Amino acid sequence: MMTLAPWTCSFRWWPIATVRPKAAGTDESSRVNAEHEDESLRDIELVSSTVDNWDEYDTVFIGYPIWWGIAAWPVNAFVTANDFTGKTVIPFCTSSSSSIGDSGALLADMAGTGDWLGGERFPSGADESAVGDWVAELGL
């Protein structure tokens, strides 16, 4: 999905997981388009939904593209497979035109645990300054 570059944070940063569906496809006949048309197909099997040393993290950034106004649904499997109790969760997304909308709140509802912050949307091609300013504003 999406990874914040190391320059975005003034604290130590480790990408801990990449959400990757087992089946790929992005053209008109792709898995993604079929899932858009039929929500029952959105239960996506991930290569891995667990994170080594998950209990050691107290702040988790979850980044994703916006698909049809919501977080890319492969992220749902990651969110529902992990316990966010005691963690601050900060969603962020990329989109050429859509806002972050309710995507973070919908993920928080799926998770059922954690302290989910409002999040941020970045346009494609966001630069170091834009992302760094946002992270600085979080006061982590």
Side-chain angles (χ1 to χ4, degrees):
M1 289 283 130
M2 180 177 174
T3 302
L4 281 177
W7 46 254
T8 63
C9 306
S10 60
F11 53 91
R12 290 170 44 169
W13 175 265
W14 294 272
I16 57 173
T18 298
V19 175
R20 191 173 305 128
K22 281 194 169 185
T26 57
D27 62 20
E28 289 296 319
S29 62
S30 74
R31 186 203 86 239
V32 171
N33 281 312
E35 293 160 3
H36 174 252
E37 297 298 322
D38 182 353
E39 290 184 25
S40 71
L41 300 175
R42 293 184 185 178
D43 185 17
I44 307 301
E45 183 180 6
L46 303 178
V47 172
S48 175
S49 60
T50 60
V51 175
D52 292 339
N53 305 314
W54 180 248
D55 292 340
E56 295 179 16
Y57 295 92
D58 56 4
T59 302
V60 177
F61 287 82
I62 296 182
Y64 49 88
I66 292 290
W67 287 355
W68 292 279
I70 59 175
W73 39 87
V75 176
N76 299 353
F78 175 80
V79 167
T80 58
N82 289 283
D83 182 3
F84 293 89
T85 300
K87 299 182 187 314
T88 299
V89 185
I90 305 165
F92 66 98
C93 68
T94 59
S95 174
S96 294
S97 60
S98 298
S99 72
I100 194 168
D102 294 330
S103 63
L106 293 169
L107 292 172
D109 288 347
M110 280 181 226
T113 60
D115 178 22
W116 289 69
L117 303 185
E120 185 69 28
R121 173 245 180 212
F122 294 99
S124 56
D127 64 13
E128 179 177 339
S129 175
V131 178
D133 289 350
W134 171 66
V135 172
E137 289 171 12
L138 294 172
L140 303 173

